Amino acid sequence: MAQAFKLPDLGEGIHEGEVTAVLVSVGDRVAEGQPILEVETDKASVQIPSPFTGMVQEIKAKPGDVVRVGSALMVFGGGEDGLAAASVGAGRDGVVEPSEVAQGAARPLQDAGPILAPERGAGPVPASPATRRLARELGVELRRVPASGPAGLVTAEDVRAFAAGKVHSEEAPEAPQGEPVAKPAPEEAEPISMPGWTAPVPPLPDFGRWGSVERLPLRSVRRSTAAHVALAWSQIPHVNHQDLADVTRLEAFRRQHAAEIDALGGKLTLTVFVMKAVAAALKLFPRVNSSLDTNAQEIVLKRYYHLGVAVDTERGLIVPVIRDVDRKSITDLAVEVKEMAQRAKSGDTALEEMQGGSFTITNVGALGGTGFAPIINYPQVAILGMGRSRLQPVVLGDENDYQIVPRLMMPLVLAFDHRVLDGADAARFVGAVKESLEDPDKLWLRI
């Protein structure tokens, strides 16, 4: 009996990935849990294990293909060994969980009973976490979306087609008289949307009329980045607050201890100090460490300090997350940030290392420029950008007694969500970060 293996749901917000390597060939016999594919998705490279024990009969994907969740990747034949039908087992909401596929949690195909679609009017609509999030982002009520997946599963493609107006809504059936109407689950509450605010995208002209052109596929990290920043820019009213921090004393301290940290396997950079200063400031101004839940009309304050640090790689911008920055020493962070950056540049960052950030720091100082305005890492409410530190003439004292001295000044810019934070909040937060960086003694006291 042949069994198709489809790309499982790999995590929250993941709809597709690019196949980077096929690790088996037609005719190979594979064991359950053996890696068969490598897929790059959501800025991380993921090995896909086989949920079956059997022989590869057909390979439907090749390196370079962009595959969506639910796409058939391979066909397996069980032969005498039989197949472990992991795709038949169902996790919450009738969806196969990635952990079940990876661990082979399954039941034999021949033992599987009939799969019945749930009544659309009773209980939550079957959909993966990624599909639910997509529906919230597009302002779509899941209960109105016709399902094309097995067991009445609403897929991401169903949601996109509904949002684009390609399909008609499927009204929830009315409950018989005398029976209460089931209330939707909290995560399916009607999203707050602004219809008519998005202008249609006009078609591009034929650029070949004016000269030679070349088309490059928008794939992998670039594709994911494009979608993410477009979402952030369309949903968040960005405002920027800028300042300059005098890091002269801090740079002297950094140089004094750089070799010591190098010997421990780390790299002492200004980014590491900024991370500690940010963690201390986030405790003073908790709204900067939050997210806005528009459905519930609530601000979600996070009592943890997991900082995303943007890393420039050949594949694009990667933002791994350093957890519990407030609980780690400067030395610990210097080692961890260096190791994480190396893994990001080599494409070895695990998916879970990219998730759970509460605030993001990005540093373009090494590339030059005088300043920039970063885009907030949705669903966070702020991001801090670091510019290149430069020696600048600074006036110390007052108009009656002053001197002009060279000081190492570093530009700071905070992009913030004006729905959650005001300009005064941003100014106070950046002021706290600046104070810690300008006076290392205060930084040590605050951490």
Side-chain angles (χ1 to χ4, degrees):
M1 181 181 296
Q3 175 70 49
F5 172 54
K6 300 179 180 180
L7 181 65
D9 186 345
L10 298 175
E12 179 79 10
I14 307 258
H15 311 302
E16 63 187 14
E18 180 179 346
V19 177
T20 55
V22 179
L23 307 179
V24 294
S25 302
V26 173
D28 287 354
R29 300 198 70 81
V30 299
E32 180 182 335
Q34 176 182 336
I36 55 176
L37 288 165
E38 288 184 358
V39 177
E40 189 173 60
T41 178
D42 198 22
K43 306 183 181 181
S45 182
V46 181
Q47 279 197 340
I48 306 296
S50 172
F52 310 121
T53 294
M55 183 181 70
V56 180
Q57 287 189 348
E58 183 181 357
I59 298 177
K60 294 180 173 289
K62 64 181 183 298
D65 286 352
V66 176
V67 293
R68 293 184 175 273
V69 170
S71 300
L73 303 178
M74 291 187 185
V75 177
F76 291 83
E80 298 178 356
D81 295 335
L83 291 175
S87 63
V88 180
R92 65 178 183 272
D93 293 330
V95 182
V96 178
E97 296 296 329
S99 59
E100 295 179 10
V101 175
Q103 299 170 9
R107 61 175 187 250
L109 183 62
Q110 59 268 25
D111 295 336
I115 301 177
L116 302 177
E119 292 290 338
R120 180 56 68 89
V125 175
S128 71
T131 301
R132 294 182 187 280
R133 177 177 177 181
L134 176 65
R136 290 195 295 270
E137 294 169 357
L138 296 180
V140 171
E141 182 182 0
L142 280 176
R143 198 168 296 277
R144 297 172 58 86
V145 179
S148 65
L153 178 71
V154 177
T155 68
E157 288 303 319
D158 296 336
V159 173
R160 292 191 182 95
F162 182 85
K166 296 179 181 179
V167 295
H168 297 292
S169 66
E170 179 176 282
E171 297 290 343
E174 295 183 3
Q177 288 186 354
E179 295 185 11
V181 178
K183 294 182 179 180
E187 69 248 35
E188 296 179 40
E190 183 69 29
I192 296 175
S193 59
M194 299 295 182
W197 279 31
T198 303
V201 179
L204 294 175
D206 179 10
F207 298 110
R209 293 166 50 197
W210 300 291
S212 176
V213 299
E214 178 184 4
R215 286 183 172 267
L216 302 175
L218 187 65
R219 287 179 173 172
S220 188
V221 173
R222 189 76 269 152
R223 183 186 182 99
S224 176
T225 300
H228 192 71
V229 297
L231 170 66
W233 191 254
S234 66
Q235 296 299 312
I236 301 175
H238 284 61
V239 181
N240 295 288
H241 176 84
Q242 303 179 39
D243 209 333
L244 289 171
D246 184 344
V247 294
T248 309
R249 292 178 55 193
L250 190 61
E251 174 62 11
F253 179 89
R254 187 196 69 81
R255 292 183 179 182
Q256 180 183 353
H257 296 278
E260 176 185 341
I261 300 300
D262 287 346
L264 297 174
K267 185 176 182 181
L268 193 58
T269 65
L270 285 176
T271 299
V272 173
F273 293 106
V274 171
M275 291 173 68
K276 292 299 292 185
V278 163
L282 290 175
K283 290 187 175 182
L284 296 175
F285 305 99
R287 283 202 178 195
V288 186
N289 198 48
S290 71
S291 288
L292 178 62
D293 186 339
T294 55
N295 289 328
Q297 292 287 282
E298 295 175 342
I299 297 173
V300 183
L301 301 179
K302 301 159 192 173
R303 303 302 185 185
Y304 51 85
Y305 306 92
H306 304 339
L307 304 188
V309 180
V311 179
D312 181 36
T313 75
E314 293 181 353
R315 298 174 295 125
L317 196 65
I318 308 295
V319 188
V321 176
I322 307 297
R323 305 189 186 281
D324 300 316
V325 171
D326 60 316
R327 302 180 184 179
K328 295 174 180 176
S329 68
I330 293 290
T331 301
D332 292 338
L333 289 176
V335 173
E336 185 175 352
V337 170
K338 179 182 177 180
E339 293 176 348
M340 186 73 79
Q342 290 174 340
R343 290 202 305 276
K345 291 180 178 180
S346 62
D348 295 330
T349 309
L351 184 60
E352 57 269 19
E353 294 177 305
M354 313 285 290
Q355 300 173 334
S358 61
F359 185 90
T360 298
I361 297 172
T362 179
N363 183 359
V364 298
L367 302 177
T370 58
F372 70 110
I375 294 180
I376 298 167
N377 189 5
Y378 181 90
Q380 299 167 17
V381 299
I383 181 173
L384 184 69
M386 302 166 55
R388 169 175 283 185
S389 301
R390 287 185 173 87
L391 279 176
Q392 298 182 24
V394 175
V395 179
L396 299 180
D398 55 38
E399 64 273 14
N400 298 318
D401 183 15
Y402 66 87
Q403 56 179 329
I404 300 176
V405 297
R407 305 294 291 180
L408 189 64
M409 307 298 293
M410 180 173 67
L412 296 174
V413 55
L414 182 78
F416 62 94
D417 185 339
H418 210 336
R419 298 172 301 175
V420 178
L421 302 168
D422 295 326
D425 301 317
R428 294 186 184 101
F429 175 81
V430 174
V433 173
K434 175 182 174 181
E435 185 179 16
S436 294
L437 297 177
E438 292 184 339
D439 187 348
D441 293 335
K442 289 186 178 179
L443 178 60
W444 311 146
L445 290 174
R446 286 177 175 174
I447 63 176

